[in-house]
Amino acid sequence: QTYFLWPLALVAASLLTFTTAQAQQAGANLSPKQQITGFYATCKNGEGGKGLRELLSTNPAVKPAEVDQVARGFEGLLSQMGKFLDFNISREKVISDRTVVIRCIAHFERQPFVNEFTFYDSGDKWRLVHLRYDANLATMFADELREPEKTEN
């Protein structure tokens, strides 16, 4: 499924101690990788829906009902995956100085799960402007399979 979140002001949990709300109050400008790592930390604690709610609710343009709807769908999907194991960043594409796309593969007990985050820096903070996730085994690695294999010469 694809969810367009425009504009989504995003301040997520830091790597160690801040929750999203604490980081926002502190005025932290977390990098996209820090935001992603904070999000997956909530998944590791079995609270992926909560982490997504925190990310989405930092944007005043996103209505609470929309936050709940997306988070409930995400929680339902995660509940079918089993225990969260870890994640890897499979691709990071810098589009411009202010735009970056990061593709991650989250590993669960039952199967992998692909998330793609698009961040934009408007000058004051990195913001999540697009989120796409795919748990369909038939399609989730389509991008990787289309790329030509790298050969060493």
Side-chain angles (χ1 to χ4, degrees):
Q1 293 183 9
T2 299
Y3 293 94
F4 296 94
L5 309 169
W6 189 269
L8 179 58
L10 180 62
V11 182
S14 75
L15 298 175
L16 299 174
T17 59
F18 277 142
T19 65
T20 301
Q22 290 168 327
Q24 188 175 24
Q25 289 171 358
N29 184 15
L30 302 175
S31 73
K33 285 184 181 178
Q34 287 173 314
Q35 294 178 44
I36 289 169
T37 300
F39 167 71
Y40 283 120
T42 65
C43 290
K44 183 78 172 172
N45 293 333
E47 300 177 317
K50 176 184 174 191
L52 189 59
R53 276 186 181 84
E54 288 179 356
L55 295 177
L56 297 174
S57 63
T58 61
N59 181 357
V62 178
K63 297 173 184 159
E66 294 169 340
V67 169
D68 285 338
Q69 179 183 5
V70 173
R72 276 195 311 271
F74 190 73
E75 286 172 329
L77 190 58
L78 293 183
S79 71
Q80 300 171 25
M81 302 288 178
K83 180 181 173 190
F84 176 83
L85 303 173
D86 61 18
F87 80 99
N88 295 94
I89 294 176
S90 64
R91 182 183 313 144
E92 181 177 3
K93 178 71 175 170
V94 176
I95 307 299
S96 71
D97 290 345
R98 295 179 178 266
T99 308
V100 63
V101 178
I102 300 176
R103 184 175 171 90
C104 300
I105 301 173
H107 303 107
F108 288 83
E109 273 181 322
R110 294 187 185 104
Q111 73 173 69
F113 182 77
V114 174
N115 294 291
E116 189 172 88
F117 305 86
T118 302
F119 291 91
Y120 175 70
D121 180 4
S122 62
D124 61 341
K125 293 185 182 196
W126 283 99
R127 304 165 189 277
L128 181 68
V129 294
H130 180 250
L131 168 64
R132 181 173 72 102
Y133 57 87
D134 191 350
N136 184 332
L137 289 169
T139 61
M140 73 171 67
F141 298 117
D143 291 346
E144 287 82 1
L145 294 173
R146 275 193 291 264
E147 292 177 2
E149 286 190 39
K150 296 176 185 175
T151 57
E152 294 183 29
N153 293 328

